[in-house]
Amino acid sequence: MGIFVGKGTRAIVQGITGTQGSFHTKLMLEYGTKIVAGMTPGKSGTEVHGVPVYDTVEEAVKKHDANASIIFVPAPSAADACFEALEAGLKTIVVITEHIPVRDAIQVMNRARQQGAVIVGPNTPGIITTDECKLGIMPAHVFRRGVVGIASRSGTLTYEIATGLTVGGFGQSTCIGLGGDPIVGLSFVDVLREFE
């Protein structure tokens, strides 16, 4: 059984029109993730890989009943992107961006806790519930469905461990990169409680 994301996840991509946002949106769609909308200010009315783009998170959430977001925006704007997602009522937010200022990250995590939202990252490869949903940048081909859950602070080690498990015949349920920045949303204890 997976945690935090799964078949019911309907995600938006903040920063979808950027190079990384566009590239990884394509890969997430190919994995089967339900990317229902994208958001980039000033790009409303356009599409990226068939995904409609809006100027605000609120508009994207209202039109497509989204419940999660993945953020591909530069560090100076990342906190604002997180706050916008939280204000729109999203409960799962994956922050790929690294080196977010510590003060910004503290404020974001505090607000997320107040609202009962989960922040994966920042500075994370994301989260994957095998064969259901991938919100992140990890190479999906190394994961196989199974019962082993993985949580790691290291992005690369997250999928290196998954590769070793897959080669050894052990599939995974959900794999989470907690994030490599000094302030992150989830701890190992938080994830362990969810896996239990």
Side-chain angles (χ1 to χ4, degrees):
M1 180 179 153
I3 60 172
F4 300 125
V5 299
K7 289 181 181 174
T9 299
R10 296 174 54 80
I12 66 167
V13 178
Q14 292 176 254
I16 193 169
T17 59
T19 303
Q20 293 299 313
S22 173
F23 177 79
H24 289 290
T25 294
K26 182 175 187 290
L27 297 178
M28 290 185 288
L29 287 166
E30 288 171 356
Y31 191 73
T33 302
K34 293 179 188 113
I35 304 293
V36 296
M39 180 271 180
T40 300
K43 301 285 186 174
S44 185
T46 62
E47 288 188 351
V48 175
H49 306 298
V51 176
V53 179
Y54 299 91
D55 287 332
T56 68
V57 173
E58 181 181 26
E59 186 180 13
V61 169
K62 282 183 179 175
K63 290 195 174 181
H64 298 279
D65 194 28
N67 55 17
S69 176
I70 182 166
I71 295 176
F72 292 95
V73 302
S77 306
D80 288 341
C82 291
F83 288 131
E84 186 176 358
L86 289 166
E87 287 166 14
L90 297 176
K91 294 299 184 188
T92 303
I93 301 167
V94 177
V95 186
I96 302 299
T97 309
E98 62 183 338
H99 305 306
I100 294 175
V102 170
R103 181 180 172 153
D104 289 356
I106 290 170
Q107 291 173 339
V108 166
M109 301 319 158
N110 185 47
R111 178 84 57 84
R113 273 191 292 280
Q114 290 172 352
Q115 294 185 208
V118 171
I119 304 280
V120 179
N123 190 8
T124 177
I127 179 170
I128 185 168
T129 294
T130 48
D131 295 340
E132 293 186 22
C133 178
K134 176 182 100 158
L135 283 181
I137 62 173
M138 66 278 282
H141 69 278
V142 306
F143 300 93
R144 294 292 178 270
R145 190 161 188 80
V147 297
V148 179
I150 298 174
S152 172
R153 283 293 300 256
S154 168
T156 306
L157 285 178
T158 302
Y159 40 88
E160 283 191 15
I161 292 166
T163 301
L165 287 168
T166 297
V167 169
F170 299 96
Q172 306 87 44
S173 55
T174 296
C175 301
I176 305 173
L178 299 177
D181 273 12
I183 306 296
V184 295
L186 291 170
S187 70
F188 285 107
V189 173
D190 296 330
V191 174
L192 180 60
R193 286 189 183 125
E194 291 295 323
F195 277 129
E196 288 177 341

